[in-house]
């Protein structure tokens, strides 16, 4: 029962627009509950202050832009509220996870995250295939008139997901593919587990492509990660032979999935695989959408625009994240936006070299995504940060102390003095 409740909380924290909760998205609820729990536990992690400090440069850039331009845009306030809610929502999720699994491994935690993304893909397929299911889940979603009109306009042109559609669906699916490659290379698995992970990998890849072709960026990122880990790690560090077995099974499932896609989604299968079709025909991995991006990638025209932008977060005829940021807060604000994301990645670093590479690939993946649209992976980084903070302070450090590997001086620096009774 607790596992089911936890999974629902995780799912709707990752996809908060998938349900209207007292007139707000689920993110508001999880954020408030997480903040209450964080304060009740005595503000256990001083590292949260580092997160807030890293965000200040972007806020300052937005405020300077607002002061120097006549425009007023709600984007900074809305974005800040969302990040604040995701921070404490992630704390709630991680705390809940360790209540259910007191010594839960990081791999198990990743399985839950991938499971939530997989569930979103399953629901998306079910909504497309069954009108009753589609009407039910659409009735749960929070959608304004613009989002509703856009979904109705796109109906039949692509697979519309539950809780997230278009570009957002590709982001989460691509993230899951990267995580699955890390798991297959770092975790010793039996044949059944390899078959299961390969099937999940292919399913998410195909559903992602049918929803948003940017999933292909995550697909390529996962392949790049595999190459990096295989060539930079010793035999004892990664499961190379296991990965090649996974690759063979995934190739088989991939060919089956390609056939099923044309069988059940003939109306937009060509659209989903356009880049691969063009590569097969012309040797160029391109789509009509990617060709259009060349004209959408615009740069500021004046020094003032480079310095502080226009102060309005609009499309300006362009989906490109870099263009939108540059015209919104100029180059300093754009750098601050990605600096914050890098700091979250850096705070997730561990002694596991393979996971560090995985995080760096994720960061590069996000940089590539912003050539298509405005994106970040912050919600996933918050989950990683709080997992490792909890593990470090509540499991790893106390274990070293019990084993006598910390003297009193080292322990004092390892455990924050404000709430030591909660940790050791």
């Amino acid at each position: 029962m607790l596992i089911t409740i936890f999974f629902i909380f995780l799912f709707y924290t990752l996809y908060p627009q998938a349900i209207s909760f007292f007139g707000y998205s689920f993110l508001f609820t999880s954020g408030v509950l997480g903040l209450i729990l964080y304060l009740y536990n005595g503000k256990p992690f001083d590292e949260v202050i580092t997160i807030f400090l890293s965000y200040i440069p972007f806020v300052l850039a937005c405020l300077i832009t607002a002061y120097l331009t006549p425009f007023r845009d709600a984007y900074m306030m809305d974005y800040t509220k969302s990040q604040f809610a995701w921070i404490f929502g992630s704390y709630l999720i991680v705390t809940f996870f360790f209540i259910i699994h007191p010594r839960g491994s990081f791999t198990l935690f990743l399985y839950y995250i991938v499971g939530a993304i997989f569930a979103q893909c399953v629901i998306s397929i079910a909504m497309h295939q069954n009108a009753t299911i589609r009407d039910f889940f659409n009735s749960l979603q929070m959608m304004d008139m613009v989002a509703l009109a856009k979904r109705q306009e796109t109906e039949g042109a692509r697979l519309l997901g539950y809780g997230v559609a278009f570009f957002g669906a590709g982001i989460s699916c691509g993230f899951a593919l990267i995580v699955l490659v890390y798991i297959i290379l770092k975790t010793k698995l039996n044949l059944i587990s390899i078959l299961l992970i390969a099937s999940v990998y292919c399913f998410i890849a195909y559903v992602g492509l049918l929803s948003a072709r940017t999933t292909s960026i995550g697909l390529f990122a996962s392949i790049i990660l595999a190459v990096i880990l295989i060539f930079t790690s010793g035999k004892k560090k990664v499961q190379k032979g296991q990965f090649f077995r996974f690759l063979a099974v995934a190739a088989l499932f991939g060919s089956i999935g390609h056939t099923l896609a044309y069988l059940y989604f003939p109306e937009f299968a060509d659209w989903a695989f356009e880049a691969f079709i063009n590569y097969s025909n012309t040797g160029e991995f391109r789509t009509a959408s990617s060709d259009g991006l060349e004209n959408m990638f615009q740069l500021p025209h004046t020094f003032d625009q480079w310095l502080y932008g226009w102060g309005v977060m609009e499309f300006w005829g362009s989906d490109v994240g870099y263009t939108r940021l540059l015209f919104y807060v100029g180059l300093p604000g754009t750098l601050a936006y990605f600096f914050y994301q890098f700091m979250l990645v850096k705070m997730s670093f561990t002694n596991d070299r393979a996971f560090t590479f995985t995080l760096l690939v994720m960061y590069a993946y996000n940089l590539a995504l912003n050539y298509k649209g405005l994106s970040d992976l912050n919600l996933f980084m918050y989950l990683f940060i709080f997992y490792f903070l909890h593990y470090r302070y509540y499991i790893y450090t106390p274990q070293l102390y019990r084993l006598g590997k910390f003297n009193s001086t080292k322990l004092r620096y390892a455990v924050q003095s404000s709430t030591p009774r909660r940790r050791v």
Side-chain angles (χ1 to χ4, degrees):
M1 183 63 179
L2 281 178
I3 290 178
T4 302
I5 295 173
F6 167 74
F7 189 79
I8 291 172
F9 262 81
L10 173 62
F11 180 90
Y12 283 114
T13 299
L14 292 179
Y15 300 103
Q17 298 297 324
I19 191 169
S20 176
F21 207 69
F22 298 112
Y24 297 91
S25 75
F26 193 82
L27 184 59
F28 177 82
T29 301
S30 62
V32 169
L33 292 177
L35 177 59
I36 293 172
L37 181 63
Y38 186 78
L39 295 175
Y40 175 78
N41 285 337
K43 297 181 290 186
F45 303 131
D46 285 350
E47 287 83 354
V48 170
I49 297 175
T50 303
I51 295 176
F52 291 147
L53 290 176
S54 301
Y55 187 66
I56 287 177
F58 180 65
V59 174
L60 286 177
C62 293
L63 293 176
I64 291 171
T65 295
Y67 178 77
L68 294 175
T69 61
F71 303 107
R72 296 294 177 267
D73 195 294
Y75 175 80
M76 188 271 287
M77 185 59 67
D78 292 339
Y79 185 74
T80 301
K81 288 188 294 185
S82 296
Q83 297 303 307
F84 189 85
W86 256 312
I87 288 171
F88 292 106
S90 298
Y91 173 76
L92 175 69
I93 293 298
V94 170
T95 303
F96 202 167
F97 172 79
F98 279 106
I99 289 174
I100 301 171
H101 307 285
R103 301 184 69 83
S105 68
F106 184 56
T107 300
L108 178 60
F109 190 59
L110 291 179
Y111 278 140
Y112 272 110
I113 296 175
V114 172
I117 296 171
F118 178 80
Q120 192 272 342
C121 292
V122 170
I123 294 173
S124 300
I125 293 287
M127 289 173 65
H128 180 269
Q129 296 298 108
N130 188 285
T132 302
I133 295 176
R134 179 169 61 252
D135 292 340
F136 170 73
F137 281 106
N138 278 337
S139 69
L140 298 178
Q141 297 192 78
M142 280 195 69
M143 288 187 290
D144 55 26
M145 295 302 296
V146 175
L148 182 60
K150 191 173 182 180
R151 287 180 71 92
Q152 291 174 343
E153 179 184 348
T154 318
E155 191 78 39
R158 66 170 75 192
L159 188 65
L160 296 178
Y162 172 56
V164 63
F166 313 116
F167 186 56
I171 294 175
S172 59
C173 288
F175 172 85
L177 300 181
I178 297 171
V179 168
L180 285 171
V181 164
Y182 169 78
I183 291 174
I184 203 72
L185 278 165
K186 286 294 294 180
T187 309
K188 190 171 181 58
L189 303 166
N190 58 33
L191 181 59
I192 301 251
S193 297
I194 294 173
L195 290 171
L196 184 60
I197 290 179
S199 63
V200 170
Y201 181 94
C202 291
F203 181 79
I204 291 176
Y206 275 112
V207 174
L209 285 170
L210 292 168
S211 301
R213 292 177 296 188
T214 46
T215 303
S216 60
I217 301 176
L219 177 65
F220 289 133
S222 71
I223 295 172
I224 292 171
L225 173 63
V227 172
I228 291 174
L229 296 188
I230 287 173
F231 285 98
T232 60
S233 304
K235 292 183 179 179
K236 295 182 179 180
K237 296 294 184 179
V238 295
Q239 306 291 330
K240 296 181 182 180
Q242 179 175 277
F243 174 76
F244 290 121
R245 289 193 291 274
F246 159 80
L247 205 59
V249 175
L252 174 62
F253 287 165
S255 62
I256 296 172
H258 185 267
T259 301
L260 293 176
Y262 275 96
L263 183 63
Y264 290 100
F265 307 98
E267 65 272 33
F268 46 84
D270 279 342
W271 170 85
F273 305 129
E274 182 185 1
F276 301 95
I277 293 172
N278 286 337
Y279 181 80
S280 176
N281 294 335
T282 67
E284 296 181 358
F285 193 82
R286 47 177 288 274
T287 65
S289 177
S290 64
D291 290 344
L293 286 175
E294 296 179 4
N295 297 323
M296 286 188 179
F297 195 91
Q298 301 293 325
L299 296 176
H301 309 294
T302 66
F303 178 76
D304 290 349
Q305 290 171 358
W306 276 104
L307 193 59
Y308 53 81
W310 283 346
V312 180
M313 176 58 80
E314 293 286 354
F315 284 99
W316 304 113
S318 173
D319 289 330
V320 178
Y322 296 110
T323 294
R324 295 180 65 190
L325 284 167
L326 286 170
F327 280 99
Y328 175 48
V329 284
L331 182 59
T334 300
L335 293 176
Y337 179 82
F338 291 107
F339 166 77
Y340 178 63
Q341 295 175 22
F342 178 76
M343 287 300 297
L344 296 181
V345 168
K346 185 174 181 294
M347 290 181 69
S348 303
F349 283 174
T350 70
N351 290 330
D352 180 1
R353 186 181 179 187
F355 186 63
T356 298
F357 278 125
T358 302
L359 289 170
L360 292 174
V361 168
M362 288 178 180
Y363 186 69
Y365 165 59
N366 183 63
L367 293 178
L369 286 173
N370 275 275
Y371 188 76
K372 177 65 178 70
L374 187 63
S375 76
D376 64 59
L377 298 178
N378 295 353
L379 69 159
F380 299 109
M381 294 304 120
Y382 296 140
L383 290 170
F384 292 163
I385 288 170
F386 282 113
Y387 175 90
F388 290 120
L389 287 176
H390 186 106
Y391 186 85
R392 180 194 308 166
Y393 290 124
Y394 290 97
I395 298 176
Y396 182 70
T397 301
Q399 183 177 5
L400 290 181
Y401 179 66
R402 286 193 298 269
L403 294 173
K405 295 185 178 181
F406 263 130
N407 61 34
S408 58
T409 303
K410 290 181 179 179
L411 184 63
R412 187 166 58 252
Y413 285 104
V415 181
Q416 299 170 16
S417 59
S418 58
T419 55
R421 68 183 184 280
R422 298 183 182 275
R423 294 180 177 168
V424 180

